[in-house]
Structures are given as structure tokens and as C-alpha cells.
Amino acid sequence: MKVIDHINQAKDKTIVSFEVLPPLKGKGIEALYRHLDPLMEFKPAFINVTYHRSEHVFKKRADGSFEKVVIRKRPGTESICAAIMNKYNVDTVPHLICGGFGINETEDALINLRYLGIDNVLVLRGDAAKNETAFEPEPGGHKYAIDLLKQVVNLNAGIYLEEDLKSTHKTEFCIGVAGYPEKHFEAPNMDTDLRYLKAKVDAGADYIVTQMFFDNAKYYAFVKACRAIGINVPIIPGLKPVYTKKQMNVLPKTFHIDLPTDLSNEMLKCKTDEEVEQVGTEWLLHQSKDLKKNGVPVLHYYTLGKPHVVANVVKEL
Ligand code: FAD
């Protein structure tokens, strides 16, 4: 079932969804199941699975020289979505990125997703590869998320890359896109970023999922600014718990977001990461209750690594 249908069916009720990472290459899927098991009692409407592009690394040879090799640390997004669907009978949303993909590979990936019975995709550009300073599309690949989105919209209309295909199957993907309450870090300003977000919605995105934020006021201001320029699709807040002191610097650096002073002050007072986790749980619960009270359609939790923290919060809701 499509994400948008889950939202419409829930009417004014707030539903929950979770996001997980594929296992590291070399690990089995069992650890992911152990991660998800305690979360399934909350009957998530859907589960997102992130996509991780391949990286170039330099491996030292026996003679001291270096060899450039391509590695992919977390493969398998599409098949993991299918496995989760089979095991838990829940809808899944694979993330699909432009980075590292040519348009033919993207089309094949989308065809595979349909064969697997997956109705949803979250389309993203992806970040620059580790060895690049700025995002570089594959030769002939997509430069922005909107270009990838248009390819999915075309497939939904039965338009494939091979123009002479006859009587083609129309896919029916529900399409999500990313939005940034604190602005995407490359955008010159919020207005420009919002204009590009509106272009994604006008091109066919069904809903928006936000980057994580820790200050609900920023989410409400973002929704208001979106509505003011005619973005009328559901805007799903992305939520993440803090649970280590290190995150005080890692989260702003990695995701280009701020931690509110009240939160960072509380984290600074903590002597151990267990205490930080307690602070993070309370903060997330407070955020979640407030968002629910204000009628958000979905609370989307980045569960990465800490399912019990998210479980404790959702239990309290
Ligand atoms: P875009 O919408 O293409 O925007 C990128 C930048 O370009 C923005 O600054 C925008 O303002 C600008 N822009 C957009 N269109 C144009 C245009 N036509 N001309 C000029 N400028 C333009 N990354 C992963 O690798 N894997 C994941 O699984 C993943 N999941 C994510 C989930 C969520 C909810 C979010 C918020 C992010 C996720 N990311 C993921 C990170 C994401 O790929 C990066 O934030 C990336 O830098 C931007 O992706 P985007 O889809 O927002 O790009």
C-alpha cells in the first residue's frame, strides 16, 4: 500500500513509521530483524530502508603501492525491503538516489522494485562521494532529485527509456522527497531551497519527509513557509534520538542542523552516555507529543542503532 493512502486512511490520526539501514556487508539480516522486532508492536504504517552508494578507497598492496578499489558497505536496499515486507507484512519504502546510478540502472532498479511488490520510493540526490568535494552525477545520470523523480513519474505513465516499447506496464509508485527545515546546506538561502522543493512537488512528489530537527518551532515555520508558496502535500517530520555526547558535534557536522541550547545544556551536564540517552529519550518524547498534538500526519523515526529508545518513546505516546 502507498504511503499517501496510509496517510489518507488515518484521517486526523497520527501514524508512526521507522527508518533502518541495510546491514553492513558481511553481516546477515538477522541483526536487522532483532532491531525491528521490538518496534513492530507499534504497527508502523511503513518502514524506510536507506540507500548507501559505493565508495572508492585506496588499499595498500604488499609492495607498498596503492590500489583504487570500489566498495559498497551496505548493499541490498531493494531486497531488504522485500524481506521486511515478507517477514512483518508491512509496507516498505526504499530510498533511491541519483549518485552512482546511470539512468538505465535506475530504470532496472525501479522495474525490480515493482516485481517485488513495492509501491513506494523516496527519491533523493545523495551526497557527494567520499573522494569528491561536491556531488558529481554519473555520466548520463541524474544531477538533482527532481530528475530522478521525473524518471519515476514517466515510468508511472508507462514511458520507459526504450521509446519503441509497445503496450508498456505503468508502474504506480508513490513518491516521497526530502525537505530541510533548517535549509539544505548547499542552498544559498531558504527561499531558493523551497522553490526547488516546490518544483519537486509540482513534478509529482506525493509527500515530503524532513531532515531530522530537534526544535519543533523550525518544523512549524518550515511547514508554514511551504504552505505559503503552495506546497500542499503532507510534510512528515523526521525524528532522531540523541544518545551520546559525541553527537553534539557529529550531528551538526554531518546533517547541517542545530541542537537547541536547552538540549545541548542538558547533554553537557551528563556524565555518561547512559545519562545522555535518558535526556535524548525525554527530548524526543516531548517533541513527539507536541507534534502529535499539532496534528502531524506521521511521526517518522530514524531508529538507526537505538530501537529501544524509539520504542520507549512510542510506547509513551
Ligand atoms: P535535491 O532536491 O536535488 O537538492 C540538492 C541541492 O540542490 C539543494 O541545495 C537544492 O536547493 C538544490 N537544487 C535542487 N534542484 C535544483 C536545480 N534544479 N538547480 C539548482 N539547484 C537545485 N542520502 C543517501 O545517500 N541515502 C539515503 O538513503 C538518504 N536518505 C535521506 C532521507 C531523508 C529524509 C533526507 C532528508 C536525506 C536523505 N539523504 C540520503 C541525504 C540526501 O541525499 C542529501 O541531503 C543530499 O545532499 C540532497 O538530497 P535531495 O534529494 O534533497 O537533493
Side-chain angles (χ1 to χ4, degrees), residues 16-22 32 34-40 42 44 46-50 84 212 238-241 243 247 284 299-311 314:
V16 294
S17 59
F18 301 125
E19 183 163 315
V20 296
L21 268 67
L32 179 61
R34 281 196 297 278
H35 180 101
L36 279 172
D37 284 343
L39 294 171
M40 297 316 292
F42 306 112
F46 52 92
I47 293 176
N48 283 42
V49 182
T50 55
I84 293 174
M212 69 185 72
L239 298 163
K240 180 181 167 68
Y243 43 82
Q247 286 176 310
L284 186 62
L299 292 166
H300 181 71
Y301 292 98
Y302 301 117
T303 67
L304 326 168
K306 287 286 169 181
H308 65 278
V309 176
V310 173
V314 181

Coordinates of all heavy atoms in Angstrom, one line a residue, residues 16-22 32 34-40 42 44 46-50 84 212 238-241 243 247 284 299-311 314:
V16 N 2.8 6.1 12.9 CA 4.2 6.1 13.0 C 4.9 5.3 11.9 O 4.3 4.4 11.3 CB 4.7 5.6 14.4 CG1 4.3 6.4 15.5 CG2 4.3 4.1 14.6
S17 N 6.1 5.7 11.6 CA 6.9 4.9 10.7 C 8.4 4.9 11.1 O 8.8 5.8 11.9 CB 6.8 5.5 9.3 OG 7.3 6.8 9.3
F18 N 9.1 4.0 10.7 CA 10.5 3.8 11.1 C 11.5 3.8 9.9 O 11.1 3.5 8.8 CB 10.7 2.5 11.9 CG 9.8 2.5 13.2 CD1 9.0 1.4 13.4 CD2 9.8 3.5 14.1 CE1 8.1 1.4 14.5 CE2 9.0 3.5 15.2 CZ 8.2 2.4 15.4
E19 N 12.7 4.1 10.2 CA 13.7 4.1 9.1 C 14.9 3.2 9.6 O 15.4 3.4 10.7 CB 14.2 5.5 8.8 CG 15.2 5.5 7.7 CD 15.3 6.9 7.1 OE1 14.2 7.6 6.8 OE2 16.4 7.4 6.9
V20 N 15.4 2.3 8.8 CA 16.5 1.5 9.1 C 17.6 1.5 8.0 O 17.3 1.9 6.9 CB 16.1 0.0 9.4 CG1 15.1 -0.1 10.6 CG2 15.5 -0.6 8.1
L21 N 18.8 1.1 8.4 CA 19.9 0.9 7.4 C 20.0 -0.5 7.0 O 19.8 -1.4 7.9 CB 21.2 1.3 8.1 CG 21.7 2.7 8.1 CD1 20.8 3.6 8.9 CD2 23.1 2.8 8.7
P22 N 20.5 -0.8 5.8 CA 20.8 -2.2 5.5 C 22.0 -2.6 6.3 O 22.8 -1.8 6.7 CB 21.2 -2.1 4.0 CG 20.8 -0.7 3.5 CD 20.7 0.2 4.7
L32 N 19.2 -7.1 11.8 CA 18.2 -6.1 11.4 C 16.8 -6.6 11.9 O 16.1 -5.7 12.4 CB 18.2 -6.0 9.9 CG 17.2 -5.0 9.3 CD1 17.4 -3.6 9.8 CD2 17.2 -5.0 7.8
R34 N 16.4 -8.4 14.6 CA 16.4 -8.1 16.0 C 16.2 -6.7 16.4 O 15.6 -6.3 17.4 CB 17.8 -8.6 16.6 CG 17.8 -10.1 16.8 CD 19.0 -10.5 17.7 NE 20.3 -10.1 17.2 CZ 21.0 -10.8 16.3 NH1 20.5 -12.0 15.8 NH2 22.2 -10.4 15.9
H35 N 16.6 -5.8 15.5 CA 16.5 -4.3 15.6 C 15.0 -4.0 15.5 O 14.4 -3.2 16.2 CB 17.3 -3.7 14.5 CG 17.3 -2.2 14.5 ND1 18.3 -1.4 15.0 CD2 16.4 -1.3 14.0 CE1 18.0 -0.1 14.8 NE2 16.8 -0.1 14.2
L36 N 14.3 -4.6 14.5 CA 13.0 -4.3 14.2 C 11.9 -5.0 15.1 O 10.9 -4.4 15.4 CB 12.6 -4.7 12.7 CG 13.1 -3.7 11.6 CD1 12.9 -4.2 10.2 CD2 12.3 -2.3 11.8
D37 N 12.3 -6.2 15.6 CA 11.3 -7.0 16.4 C 10.6 -6.1 17.4 O 9.4 -6.1 17.5 CB 11.9 -8.2 17.0 CG 12.2 -9.3 15.9 OD1 11.5 -9.3 14.9 OD2 13.0 -10.2 16.2
P38 N 11.4 -5.4 18.3 CA 10.7 -4.7 19.4 C 9.9 -3.5 18.9 O 9.1 -2.9 19.6 CB 11.8 -4.2 20.3 CG 13.1 -4.2 19.4 CD 12.8 -5.3 18.4
L39 N 10.1 -3.1 17.6 CA 9.4 -1.9 17.1 C 8.0 -2.3 16.4 O 7.2 -1.5 16.2 CB 10.2 -1.2 16.1 CG 11.5 -0.5 16.6 CD1 12.4 0.0 15.5 CD2 11.1 0.7 17.6
M40 N 7.9 -3.6 16.1 CA 6.7 -4.0 15.3 C 5.4 -3.9 16.1 O 4.4 -3.8 15.5 CB 7.0 -5.4 14.6 CG 8.1 -5.4 13.7 SD 8.2 -4.0 12.5 CE 6.8 -4.3 11.5
F42 N 4.3 -1.6 17.6 CA 3.7 -0.3 17.4 C 3.0 -0.1 16.0 O 2.6 0.9 15.7 CB 4.7 0.8 17.6 CG 5.4 0.7 18.9 CD1 6.7 0.3 19.0 CD2 4.7 0.8 20.1 CE1 7.4 0.2 20.2 CE2 5.3 0.7 21.4 CZ 6.6 0.3 21.4
P44 N 3.9 0.0 12.7 CA 4.3 1.1 11.8 C 3.5 1.0 10.5 O 3.3 -0.1 10.0 CB 5.8 0.9 11.6 CG 6.0 -0.5 11.9 CD 5.0 -0.9 13.0
F46 N 4.7 2.1 7.7 CA 5.7 1.7 6.7 C 7.1 1.8 7.3 O 7.3 2.5 8.3 CB 5.6 2.6 5.4 CG 5.6 4.1 5.7 CD1 6.8 4.8 5.7 CD2 4.4 4.8 5.9 CE1 6.8 6.2 5.9 CE2 4.4 6.1 6.2 CZ 5.6 6.8 6.2
I47 N 8.0 1.2 6.6 CA 9.4 1.2 7.1 C 10.3 1.6 5.9 O 10.2 1.0 4.9 CB 9.9 -0.2 7.6 CG1 9.0 -0.5 8.9 CG2 11.4 -0.3 7.9 CD1 9.3 -1.8 9.5
N48 N 11.1 2.6 6.2 CA 12.1 3.1 5.1 C 13.4 2.4 5.3 O 13.8 2.1 6.4 CB 12.3 4.6 5.3 CG 11.2 5.4 4.8 OD1 10.1 5.1 5.0 ND2 11.6 6.5 4.1
V49 N 14.0 2.1 4.1 CA 15.4 1.5 4.1 C 16.3 2.4 3.3 O 16.0 2.7 2.2 CB 15.4 0.1 3.6 CG1 16.8 -0.5 3.6 CG2 14.4 -0.8 4.3
T50 N 17.3 2.9 4.0 CA 18.2 3.9 3.3 C 19.1 3.2 2.2 O 19.2 2.0 2.2 CB 19.2 4.5 4.4 OG1 19.9 3.4 5.0 CG2 18.4 5.3 5.4
I84 N 11.7 -7.5 4.5 CA 10.9 -6.9 5.7 C 9.4 -7.0 5.4 O 8.6 -7.4 6.3 CB 11.3 -5.4 5.9 CG1 12.8 -5.3 6.4 CG2 10.4 -4.8 6.9 CD1 13.3 -3.9 6.5
M212 N 16.1 15.4 10.0 CA 15.9 15.5 11.4 C 16.0 16.9 11.9 O 16.7 17.7 11.3 CB 16.9 14.6 12.1 CG 18.3 15.2 12.1 SD 19.6 14.1 12.8 CE 19.7 12.8 11.6
G238 N 10.9 14.1 10.3 CA 11.9 13.1 10.6 C 12.5 13.3 12.0 O 12.9 14.5 12.3
L239 N 12.5 12.3 12.9 CA 12.9 12.5 14.2 C 14.0 11.5 14.6 O 13.9 10.3 14.3 CB 11.7 12.3 15.2 CG 10.5 13.3 14.9 CD1 9.2 12.8 15.6 CD2 10.9 14.6 15.5
K240 N 14.9 12.0 15.4 CA 16.0 11.1 15.8 C 16.4 11.3 17.3 O 16.4 12.5 17.7 CB 17.2 11.4 14.9 CG 18.4 10.5 15.3 CD 19.6 10.8 14.3 CE 20.9 10.2 14.8 NZ 20.9 8.8 14.7
P241 N 16.6 10.3 18.0 CA 17.0 10.5 19.4 C 18.5 10.8 19.5 O 19.3 10.3 18.7 CB 16.8 9.1 20.1 CG 16.8 8.1 19.0 CD 16.5 8.8 17.7
Y243 N 21.9 10.1 21.9 CA 22.2 9.1 22.9 C 23.7 9.1 23.3 O 24.1 8.3 24.1 CB 21.7 7.7 22.5 CG 21.9 7.4 21.1 CD1 23.1 6.9 20.7 CD2 20.9 7.5 20.2 CE1 23.4 6.6 19.4 CE2 21.1 7.2 18.8 CZ 22.4 6.7 18.4 OH 22.6 6.4 17.1
Q247 N 27.5 13.1 19.7 CA 26.5 13.5 18.7 C 26.3 15.1 18.8 O 25.9 15.6 17.8 CB 25.1 12.9 19.0 CG 25.1 11.4 18.5 CD 23.8 10.8 18.9 OE1 23.3 10.9 20.0 NE2 23.1 10.2 17.9
L284 N 13.0 13.6 22.9 CA 12.2 13.0 21.7 C 10.8 12.8 22.1 O 9.9 13.1 21.2 CB 12.9 11.7 21.3 CG 12.3 11.0 20.0 CD1 12.5 11.9 18.8 CD2 13.0 9.7 19.8
L299 N 4.7 10.4 12.4 CA 5.9 10.6 13.1 C 6.9 9.6 12.6 O 6.7 8.4 12.7 CB 5.8 10.4 14.6 CG 4.9 11.4 15.3 CD1 4.5 11.0 16.7 CD2 5.6 12.8 15.5
H300 N 8.0 10.1 11.9 CA 8.9 9.2 11.2 C 10.2 9.2 12.0 O 10.9 10.2 12.1 CB 9.2 9.7 9.8 CG 10.1 8.8 9.0 ND1 9.7 7.5 8.6 CD2 11.4 9.0 8.6 CE1 10.8 7.0 7.9 NE2 11.8 7.9 7.9
Y301 N 10.5 8.0 12.6 CA 11.7 7.9 13.5 C 12.9 7.3 12.7 O 12.8 6.1 12.2 CB 11.4 7.0 14.7 CG 10.4 7.7 15.6 CD1 9.0 7.4 15.5 CD2 10.8 8.7 16.5 CE1 8.1 8.0 16.4 CE2 9.8 9.3 17.3 CZ 8.5 9.0 17.2 OH 7.6 9.6 18.1
Y302 N 14.0 8.0 12.8 CA 15.3 7.4 12.4 C 15.8 6.5 13.5 O 16.3 7.0 14.5 CB 16.3 8.5 12.1 CG 15.8 9.5 11.0 CD1 15.6 10.8 11.3 CD2 15.6 9.0 9.7 CE1 15.2 11.7 10.3 CE2 15.2 9.9 8.7 CZ 15.0 11.2 9.0 OH 14.5 12.0 8.0
T303 N 15.6 5.2 13.4 CA 15.8 4.3 14.6 C 17.3 3.9 14.7 O 17.7 3.3 15.7 CB 15.0 3.0 14.4 OG1 15.5 2.3 13.3 CG2 13.5 3.3 14.2
L304 N 18.1 4.3 13.7 CA 19.5 3.9 13.5 C 20.2 3.5 14.8 O 20.6 4.4 15.5 CB 20.2 5.0 12.7 CG 19.4 5.7 11.7 CD1 20.1 6.9 11.1 CD2 19.0 4.8 10.5
G305 N 20.4 2.3 15.0 CA 21.2 1.9 16.2 C 20.5 1.8 17.5 O 21.0 1.2 18.4
K306 N 19.4 2.5 17.7 CA 18.8 2.7 19.0 C 17.3 2.4 19.0 O 16.5 3.2 19.4 CB 19.1 4.1 19.6 CG 20.5 4.3 20.0 CD 20.8 3.6 21.3 CE 22.3 3.6 21.5 NZ 22.7 3.0 22.8
P307 N 16.9 1.2 18.6 CA 15.5 0.9 18.5 C 14.8 1.0 19.9 O 13.6 1.5 19.9 CB 15.4 -0.5 18.0 CG 16.7 -1.1 18.2 CD 17.7 0.0 18.2
H308 N 15.5 0.7 21.0 CA 14.8 0.7 22.3 C 14.5 2.1 22.7 O 13.5 2.3 23.4 CB 15.6 -0.1 23.3 CG 16.9 0.6 23.6 ND1 18.0 0.4 22.9 CD2 17.3 1.5 24.6 CE1 19.0 1.1 23.4 NE2 18.6 1.8 24.4
V309 N 15.3 3.1 22.3 CA 15.0 4.5 22.7 C 13.7 4.9 22.0 O 12.8 5.4 22.6 CB 16.1 5.4 22.3 CG1 15.8 6.9 22.6 CG2 17.4 5.0 23.0
V310 N 13.6 4.6 20.7 CA 12.4 4.9 19.9 C 11.2 4.1 20.5 O 10.1 4.7 20.6 CB 12.7 4.6 18.4 CG1 11.4 4.8 17.6 CG2 13.8 5.5 17.9
A311 N 11.4 2.9 20.8 CA 10.3 2.1 21.3 C 9.8 2.7 22.6 O 8.6 2.8 22.8 CB 10.8 0.6 21.6
V314 N 7.7 5.8 21.7 CA 6.4 5.5 21.0 C 5.4 4.8 22.0 O 4.2 5.1 22.0 CB 6.6 4.6 19.7 CG1 5.3 4.3 19.1 CG2 7.6 5.3 18.8

